[in-house]
Every structure is written in C-alpha cells, then in structure tokens.
Amino acid sequence: MAMGKYSRVDGRKSSGYCSTVTVVVVLGFCLVGVWMLMSSSVVPVQNPELSSREVINEMKQTVTEKVSKIFEENFGDLQEDNTKRDGNDVPAEQSEDSAVDNQEVKNVSESNGDTSEDKNIASENQEENSVKESSDEKTDSEEESKAEAENEDRKREYGESKSGGGDSNMEAGETEAEGGERNKSAQTELEESSDENKLESGDASETEKENSRDHNRISEQNINENDTENHEKDQASIEIFPASDQSEILNETSVQNGAWSTQAIESENEKKSQQSSTSKDQRHHWKLCNASAGPDYIPCLDNWQAIRKLNSTKHYEHRERHCPEEAPTCIVPLPEGYRRSIKWPKSRDKIWYYNVPHKKLAEVKGHQNWVKVSGEYLTFPGGGTQFKNGALHYIDFIQKSRPDIAWGNRSRVILDVGCGVASFGGYLFEKDVIAMSFAPKDEHEAQVQFALERGIPAMLSVMGTKRLPFPSLVFDVVHCARCRVPWHIEGGKLLLELNRVLRPGGYFVWSATPVYQNLPEDVGIWKAMSELTKSMCWDLKAIKKDKLNGIAAAIFRKPTSNECYKKRPQNEPPLCEESDDPNAVWNVPLQACMHKVPVGASQRGSRWPVQWPLRLEKPPYWLHSKVGVYGKAGPEDFTADYQHWKNVVSNSYLNGLGIDWSSVRNVMDMGAVYGGFAAALKDLKLWVMNVVSIDSEDTLPIIYERGLFGLYHDWCQSFNTYPRSYDLLHADHLFSAVKERCDLKAVIAEVDRILRPEGNLIVRDNAETIGEIEDLVKSLKWEVRMIFTKGDQGLLCAHKTYWRPNETQAILSAII
C-alpha cells in the first residue's frame, strides 16, 4: 500500500508536463518517472534504518533530555553522581553504527506502547520535502508524550515501592558499588539489541529491566532517606545522652539494616542465649548472710569477730567501722511481714511496723514524742528530747534567737549530730534546708533506720577516734540538741572536729542541759565548754530560752579570720601543722588542733556561698583558678556538667526508663562528680546522697558549695547504712573503675543490700561492665527494664523485684 500511495503522487506530477512538451519528451520523462517511482517506493521500508545521523542525534538528544528531566523531578534528592549514572546521558558523538542509535530511540519509544510506523502512515499525504521536518516535529511531540507517560509510570511505581516497603528496604541495604554496577549493566542492555525482530520479541523483558532500574533508583533514594532518618535519630539521642568530655552513651538504640532473619537462626540463637544465661546464673552462687543482725545486717558495723579483739571501747571504737577482710557476697533476708514503704510525705509521720520491727525506742522515748507504736504502724509526732512539742516550733525558735541564720537562704546545709529519729532534719525540708543527720548504731535501737524508712536523710556514724567522712569548711550550721557527746574532754578533740567541718562564719547550735540547768555536773560542763569555745575563738552570739519546751540554746559563731588566733595568750588548742591536710579524712585519726581560716581571695572558705537557690547553679568563686575534672576551665567544666545532667534527666531518666518517680524518695549517686545529677533533680520531692569514691577526684567540696551534701566512701567496703535504705541508686562510670580494685560481685551484693525492694538501679558504663552487671542482677532475679549499648558504652536500668512475704523463701531458694 505504501508503494501505491507514493506512485499516485508521482503520476500526477508526470501528467502536468505532457501539455508543454513533445511526445518524445513525454516518453523520456515517463521513463524517468518510472525510475523515480521505483526509487521512492522503497523509501518507507528503508527509512527506519537509513535515516540521517543528524535526525537520529536530534531525536536521541530529545529523549535523553526528557528522561533526565523526569529523573531529576522524581529523585532530585539523590546525590549528583547517582543522578548522572541513572540519567543515561549520551555523548555528543554517536557510534558509527546508526542502526544501533536508531534502536536505542526505538527502544524507549516502543517500551511505552507507540510505534514510528503508525506515525509515518499518518503523514504520507504530505509532500516529500516536508517529510523530514514533519518527522522531526512529530518525533519531539511523541517523545514528549512518551516521557510524560514514562514519568507517570515511575511515579506510580515509586508510590508502590514506598507503600510496599519490604523489597525496597532490602534493596536499600545494597552497597553503592553494587548500585554502580547495576547502572552500568542497564546501559549495556540498551545497546545489545541490533535487529527489529529481537527488539519486538524483547519488549516485555526490556520493560521489566526499565522497572528494575527504577527500583534501583528508588532504593538509592531510600538509602539516603534512611541515612537522614538515622541522623535525626542520632541527634535526638544526643539530646538524651549528650556528648561531654566524660565517656558516655550517645544513642539509646542501634538500628541494623539487612536481610530478614529466619526462624531457624532466631531459634538457635535463643537456645544459645538460654544456655549462656543458665551457665552465668550457675556461676554466681549466692547465700544468705549468716549474721546475728539478721535482716538488719551491716557488714562493717556488725563484724563482731573484729570488735571482740579491740583493746578498748573508751572512745567508742566499737561503734566505728570494722570491715571484713573480704567483702561479703551474701543476701540479707527481709524481715517477716515486710511491706512496700509508705510514700513521702505521709512517711514522715508513720511507717509500717514490720518494716522496722523495733519497740525499744518507743518504750524509752515515747514520752518525748520520738516514736510510738500504733497498731501496725510506727508513728512519729515530730518531737525530740529537746523539742517534744514539735520540731517546727523548735526550728522557728532557733531562727528567732539568731535571725541571720536565715534558714533556706544563708543556711542551706546542716550537720545534725546525734540525730535520734531525725525529726529535726525531716521538718527542715519545709524551710528549704537539708540536714546530714547521723547517729551511732547503739542502744537507741534502729534510730537511723527509722529516719531512712521515713524518707529523711541519715547515716550511721559516731564521734570516736577518726575524722568524719566530710571535707573541711562545708556545713553552714552544726546542730546538737542533746547528743550526749562529751565535747569538752581530751582538749576538746571532738569539738575541734566540728570546727574542721564548719564554715568560717558558720554557727554551732547547742541546746543541751548544761546550757540551762544548774545541776553540778551541768554547771561544770558549761564552764569547760565556755573556756574551750573561747580559746577556739568561737563567739557566743546568743543564749535564748524556749519557754514552751522548757529548754535553752546557745549559739556560737566560728571566726572568719585568723586575728583572734594570734591574740590568744596560749596556743591552746594548738594550730595544726601546715602539712596537715584538713580534707584528708578516710581513716585519718582525730587530732586536738585547729586549722587556720582561709583568707586568700581565691581560697575555698574565704567567702560565704551565694544564697540558695542561686548557689546550686553558680560555679564556686574558687573554681576560677582550677582546671575542671574533664579538662576545661573550672567554671566552664562545672556549667557543662550541669547542663549535661539536666538534659539526661529531663530527656531520658524521668520519662524513658519506666521508673515511677512519685515513689522515689531516698536517692544515692554512687559516683558523684560535681553533683550535677542531684542538682538536676532539685524540683522533685526527694533527696540525694552524693558519694565521692576515695579513688576519684576530690570534688565533694564543690557539691557542698552548691547547697547539696554527700560523703566519701570506698566501694570495696560496705556503706554505713541499714539494709533497704534507698529507693534508687545511680552509678555513672563507677563500676568499671571499682572492679579494678575489688570484687564486682561483692559491690552488687552491697547494692542489693541497701536498695529497697522495688527500688531501681541506673548504671552508665562501658559495654563490658554493663554486661557483667546484667549477669549479676539477673542472677539475683532482678528485672532488667532497659539495657542498650552503642560502641563501647552502655546503659542499664534494673528493678529489684518485690518479694511479698509469702514469696520470700521461694525466691531466695531460687537464687541460692
């Protein structure tokens, strides 16, 4: 049909010439026309393969631009090099085989369901001179429509890939090098077909290949999207665990890309995990502590084997620490009938009797309103020996006696000596004051245990032969009601220890009977105390009577300079040697001497701290001349640490660990540095005991300077407190350091001893240590609520399982 159509066009042209020339000329032209007719009849057949190189170049350039444009619109967020590889850009110079060039263009055209033959049929009625121009224009048009159709196909396919997710996610795990090989392979496939029959038979396969290439592009985009998403997760986790100079966790989770696991692999891994867990549990053998103290066992205070060997008990040596040579790795049982502790603030007024089942103190001190037995409760009316009508009235009485004490402003950190059940400290919370209350484990049965069960800070200690575990010059006020401490004997050695820990300009409040009674013994003690305090340059600021309670209090003030010491007629008590470090306290014997008052502008203690609560956030003035623990300048280090802990606490601890903070009252930071963890919790109704390890940087003075408190301790030994004292224990990079010196299992046994049932342990440390702690707490049947690691760092949050009375023996049997 093509030949007939073209012959009719040529026939009309021949008949037009017959009227103007001779017959001979007509016959000649007819012969020429026949020749031309035969030549033109083969043009349509040969046209696809014999088109000029220029037309093919223009057509291929048009297709390339369209495809590249579509690619950029749909995948514009990919990297530039990937875009170039997937865009199928064609060089300006084509290969010598024009059929291959034609084949590439036709490949794109036919894969979208259009044929050039149909377009040629539509244009056969045009003149031959306009065939090429029309073909060029229509090629542009058809290629544009083809590109748009291809664009729509890719959009639909991209949407299916996004919604399906499975295959795409698997492909996203392929490497960039593999992606490059796929692109190279796709370009080669376009050039492999060389004849029309092979092209027609391979239409379906070519479409599949094109779809595969689109999948590859989508996969690469998903890789970038995953990278972006992972980066955002990293940023979020940095807020939860911000970077600092100290090694710490940066991420809460670790996402891994790759192929799906199989049930066989998962099952086999679980079997190995269970076998490993069983072997680990068997490796940690636990036993009940075999001690006469039973549920109240304190290893370093109940070591009767060592106590019986003491040469003297004159200076209360038997109330001091005598730790076993090997730290115990045993479990302290619960008292029969133990129940969950009552929450603060109700616990200040009553606790469960069977949690601290001791009646002796109620019988001896009941009339002074220390503690009373009321059914299944022990109640605390808030009284004491010197304030039986209530601690609040007594606290106000002291304030009126010396207004510049200024509870909660100037005076923030108090030492309460011989605290009883610590009602004085318990009611000071209403004045925004915290008290470090201590008393010995003596015939006043379980007085410190009562305080801790109530939710009031307290510790076991005695004024004996050794220094208290506190730095020098840290307490704003030292209080002693009727603490039964013989301050005046042996050159005032015990009172001089209070002088060591009291700030220059701080107050000593003493409301014992020698202040207001006229009995011969009291009169003699008062005379001795007056002479001693005068020689110490303490200024007696007030003696006031409390008519309601029938007592009186003497208030002394420590000097702020050394002028008075120089004017004394005798050097008694003597000044300590310059080589005597007042901050060295761990097992250091007491001495009957005084340390000079620091007066240099950059010396700690030469100025009073700023008022509370500003002192919590303001770097101490004496840090400006020091380098911080993490290597920065002191103030910068302090501020960075505080900001770090505010972020960690607010972004993770309070919401991300599954802890009910409303039930948390007694908290210990086992490895405090600047006290940033405690400072970050300041708005909660709790208190924090900041413990600075004896082998760590001595930062405890900074903790006191900011209005917090704490003490020194060696975690290779038992802590001076009763079992079940704390609701939450926190350890930041402590255990990895401790296990280099002592048995980590013994440390975890101590953690188990002092943590209340249903209490929580938060550990941040290196991944190896986290794994060891996980094994140990699991062997104790604790619940590990959260554990994760990133790199060589990790975090663990463990919950001490609550043992109900009827389950105690069964659980202990399972552990042992």
Side-chain angles (χ1 to χ4, degrees):
M1 291 181 66
M3 291 178 63
K5 287 180 181 179
Y6 276 95
S7 64
R8 285 196 295 269
V9 172
D10 294 334
R12 286 194 297 269
K13 289 180 181 180
S14 301
S15 62
Y17 288 99
C18 292
S19 59
T20 57
V21 294
T22 61
V23 175
V24 176
V25 174
V26 171
L27 291 175
F29 273 97
C30 286
L31 293 175
V32 174
V34 171
W35 177 82
M36 291 180 63
L37 180 60
M38 293 177 64
S39 299
S40 62
S41 65
V42 298
V43 171
V45 177
Q46 295 178 350
N47 185 49
E49 295 183 358
L50 300 179
S51 300
S52 68
R53 188 180 303 275
E54 182 179 357
V55 173
I56 295 300
N57 288 344
E58 291 177 358
M59 292 174 64
K60 184 164 180 54
Q61 183 66 27
T62 300
V63 173
T64 300
E65 291 175 356
K66 297 296 183 182
V67 174
S68 179
K69 184 177 180 181
I70 295 170
F71 182 84
E72 290 174 0
E73 288 175 353
N74 289 331
F75 307 97
D77 57 340
L78 295 180
Q79 297 178 357
E80 183 178 354
D81 56 342
N82 290 337
T83 304
K84 288 182 179 179
R85 283 198 299 270
D86 289 344
N88 294 327
D89 290 339
V90 180
E93 294 181 5
Q94 305 296 322
S95 62
E96 294 182 358
D97 189 354
S98 60
V100 173
D101 293 338
N102 249 353
Q103 198 66 46
E104 289 179 333
V105 177
K106 191 170 184 179
N107 182 23
V108 177
S109 174
E110 293 189 0
S111 66
N112 290 280
D114 294 331
T115 61
S116 58
E117 185 178 28
D118 293 336
K119 298 297 180 179
N120 289 335
I121 293 174
S123 62
E124 286 177 352
N125 291 327
Q126 303 298 322
E127 292 187 0
E128 185 178 358
N129 293 336
S130 64
V131 169
K132 290 183 180 180
E133 294 178 1
S134 176
S135 176
D136 291 344
E137 292 174 359
K138 290 185 178 293
T139 299
D140 291 343
S141 175
E142 76 179 51
E143 293 303 330
E144 184 175 355
S145 64
K146 294 170 189 174
E148 290 174 356
E150 183 180 354
N151 188 17
E152 292 300 323
D153 290 342
R154 291 180 181 177
K155 286 182 179 179
R156 286 193 297 271
E157 186 176 8
Y158 177 73
E160 292 170 0
S161 176
K162 291 286 284 185
S163 62
D167 293 339
S168 179
N169 288 338
M170 293 175 65
E171 291 174 359
E174 296 176 1
T175 63
E176 183 177 356
E178 292 172 340
E181 292 176 359
R182 289 196 305 271
N183 295 335
K184 183 176 180 180
S185 176
Q187 185 173 355
T188 303
E189 289 170 358
L190 284 175
E191 299 173 354
E192 286 179 343
S193 300
S194 59
D195 60 84
E196 185 172 353
N197 293 332
K198 184 176 180 180
L199 176 64
E200 291 175 353
S201 64
D203 281 347
S205 62
E206 286 299 320
T207 302
E208 292 176 358
K209 291 175 183 177
E210 184 67 21
N211 291 342
S212 176
R213 287 192 293 272
D214 290 341
H215 272 297
N216 293 340
R217 297 164 188 159
I218 295 169
S219 298
E220 290 173 295
Q221 185 185 26
N222 288 342
I223 291 173
N224 285 353
E225 290 176 349
N226 289 339
D227 290 343
T228 303
E229 184 178 8
N230 289 338
H231 177 70
E232 292 173 353
K233 289 180 180 178
D234 287 346
Q235 292 298 323
S237 63
I238 287 173
E239 287 299 317
I240 295 175
F241 299 96
S244 72
D245 292 0
Q246 185 180 14
S247 299
E248 62 191 32
I249 309 163
L250 297 180
N251 277 327
E252 285 193 335
T253 56
S254 179
V255 179
Q256 297 180 354
N257 294 326
W260 293 95
S261 181
T262 65
Q263 182 60 220
I265 293 175
E266 292 173 353
S267 299
E268 185 63 26
N269 290 340
E270 177 60 21
K271 291 176 184 177
K272 292 180 180 179
S273 176
Q274 291 182 2
Q275 292 173 358
S276 175
S277 177
T278 301
S279 63
K280 289 174 182 176
D281 285 352
Q282 292 175 349
R283 187 172 67 247
H284 302 306
H285 298 288
W286 300 97
K287 62 181 180 179
L288 286 178
C289 296
N290 184 20
S292 59
D296 295 337
Y297 176 51
I298 305 169
C300 292
L301 297 183
D302 294 324
N303 184 9
W304 290 103
Q305 184 177 2
I307 292 173
R308 290 189 185 100
K309 297 178 181 179
L310 294 174
N311 296 324
S312 171
T313 59
K314 178 182 178 181
H315 297 99
Y316 302 94
E317 292 92 342
H318 59 301
R319 306 296 185 193
E320 294 181 326
R321 291 171 58 82
H322 301 282
C323 298
E325 291 184 4
E326 291 187 8
T329 57
C330 58
I331 300 171
V332 178
L334 289 173
E336 191 66 29
Y338 185 88
R339 303 177 66 173
R340 293 189 181 117
S341 298
I342 296 173
K343 294 182 180 181
W344 181 270
K346 291 182 178 180
S347 63
R348 187 180 67 177
D349 301 325
K350 65 179 182 179
I351 63 174
W352 296 112
Y353 168 75
Y354 285 106
N355 287 12
V356 192
H358 301 290
K359 294 183 178 180
K360 183 177 179 179
L361 200 59
E363 295 169 355
V364 175
K365 297 292 184 179
H367 67 289
Q368 295 176 354
N369 288 332
W370 280 31
V371 57
K372 296 181 179 182
V373 179
S374 178
E376 59 184 354
Y377 296 104
L378 290 166
T379 60
F380 301 88
T385 302
Q386 300 300 89
F387 46 90
K388 53 188 177 181
N389 289 299
L392 274 178
H393 169 79
Y394 178 73
I395 291 168
D396 291 338
F397 157 71
I398 294 173
Q399 174 80 60
K400 292 176 182 177
S401 301
R402 190 63 187 174
D404 64 348
I405 283 181
W407 297 124
N409 291 314
R410 184 180 188 270
S411 299
R412 162 66 181 174
V413 187
I414 312 302
L415 180 65
D416 186 18
V417 183
C419 62
V421 297
S423 289
F424 178 69
Y427 283 88
L428 276 172
F429 276 108
E430 296 188 12
K431 303 294 184 179
D432 225 357
V433 176
I434 56 173
M436 176 70 77
S437 302
F438 76 90
K441 185 179 183 181
D442 59 8
E443 64 272 13
H444 284 170
E445 193 177 40
Q447 54 188 334
V448 167
Q449 191 175 17
F450 284 134
L452 290 164
E453 184 68 20
R454 296 172 69 188
I456 301 172
M459 59 171 287
L460 287 163
S461 189
V462 65
M463 298 290 292
T465 66
K466 299 176 181 177
R467 288 178 175 176
L468 296 171
F470 314 121
S472 66
L473 315 175
V474 292
F475 289 102
D476 304 334
V477 174
V478 175
H479 172 259
C480 168
R482 198 169 178 176
C483 53
R484 302 193 306 161
V485 177
W487 301 116
H488 60 291
I489 67 172
E490 297 183 349
K493 184 182 292 187
L494 300 181
L495 193 62
L496 291 170
E497 174 63 3
L498 294 190
N499 184 75
R500 182 186 69 85
V501 300
L502 183 62
R503 289 186 184 279
Y507 290 98
F508 173 61
V509 179
W510 189 40
S511 62
T513 55
V515 178
Y516 57 92
Q517 289 188 353
N518 293 321
L519 297 175
E521 182 181 5
D522 291 328
V523 171
I525 294 175
W526 174 252
K527 183 179 179 180
M529 279 289 288
S530 296
E531 292 176 356
L532 177 61
T533 54
K534 185 177 181 179
S535 65
M536 292 170 60
C537 294
W538 282 14
D539 188 8
L540 179 59
K541 290 296 185 180
I543 298 180
K544 297 290 183 178
K545 291 185 178 180
D546 178 9
K547 294 181 180 180
L548 178 64
N549 289 306
I551 60 102
I555 302 176
F556 301 89
R557 186 173 185 265
K558 181 179 177 177
T560 56
S561 71
N562 296 308
E563 296 301 319
C564 175
Y565 299 150
K566 298 176 183 178
K567 296 177 181 179
R568 293 183 302 166
Q570 294 181 338
N571 188 29
E572 290 293 337
L575 293 175
C576 299
E577 298 291 336
E578 294 292 337
S579 60
D580 191 311
D581 183 1
N583 297 304
V585 302
W586 192 249
N587 293 327
V588 174
L590 290 176
Q591 296 187 63
C593 66
M594 293 187 303
H595 295 89
K596 289 183 179 180
V597 173
V599 293
S602 61
Q603 287 185 281
R604 181 175 67 84
S606 62
R607 281 189 263 166
W608 196 265
V610 296
Q611 290 191 350
W612 177 266
L614 182 60
R615 67 189 282 184
L616 182 74
E617 301 182 359
K618 186 177 177 62
Y621 65 90
W622 41 270
L623 269 186
H624 290 272
S625 59
K626 296 181 179 294
V627 176
V629 173
Y630 306 126
K632 301 177 182 177
E636 184 181 352
D637 221 38
F638 176 94
T639 303
D641 178 80
Y642 182 38
Q643 186 61 48
H644 160 72
W645 284 112
K646 285 198 296 183
N647 290 342
V648 170
V649 169
S650 62
N651 294 337
S652 179
Y653 283 8
L654 295 183
N655 301 309
L657 300 183
I659 296 174
D660 178 12
W661 287 89
S662 67
S663 63
V664 175
R665 174 64 182 175
N666 303 354
V667 179
M668 178 187 288
D669 190 358
M670 299 176 67
V673 181
Y674 292 120
F677 170 68
L681 295 172
K682 68 181 179 65
D683 295 328
L684 301 183
K685 300 298 182 181
L686 53 78
W687 59 273
V688 180
M689 179 70 78
N690 294 281
V691 180
V692 173
S693 183
I694 61 169
D695 60 343
S696 300
E697 293 84 354
D698 186 5
T699 54
L700 194 52
I702 300 173
I703 292 172
Y704 276 92
E705 191 79 7
R706 65 192 305 183
L708 306 170
F709 61 32
L711 49 73
Y712 299 108
H713 182 60
D714 181 359
W715 282 112
C716 292
Q717 301 177 2
S718 170
F719 193 80
N720 263 26
T721 192
Y722 284 90
R724 306 170 299 279
S725 292
Y726 289 88
D727 301 306
L728 186 142
L729 301 178
H730 178 259
D732 181 37
H733 290 81
L734 170 73
F735 292 117
S736 56
V738 170
K739 72 178 185 179
E740 295 179 0
R741 300 189 299 110
C742 46
D743 184 3
L744 185 60
K745 182 179 179 181
V747 180
I748 296 301
E750 177 64 5
V751 166
D752 180 81
R753 188 185 72 86
I754 67 178
L755 189 62
R756 286 177 175 173
E758 292 203 337
N760 293 281
L761 170 67
I762 303 174
V763 180
R764 295 156 57 93
D765 219 307
N766 63 58
E768 179 184 356
T769 302
I770 289 292
E772 295 178 44
I773 296 172
E774 180 189 13
D775 293 342
L776 286 165
V777 297
K778 281 184 175 180
S779 70
L780 287 168
K781 306 304 179 184
W782 287 22
E783 173 194 356
V784 177
R785 287 185 166 175
M786 175 176 289
I787 182 169
F788 64 86
T789 59
K790 181 178 182 182
D792 62 347
Q793 299 300 311
L795 179 142
L796 176 143
C797 179
H799 179 71
K800 182 177 179 180
T801 309
Y802 177 60
W803 300 343
R804 286 181 285 274
N806 61 341
E807 296 177 351
T808 301
Q809 191 59 44
I811 294 179
L812 288 178
S813 298
I815 295 173
I816 298 168

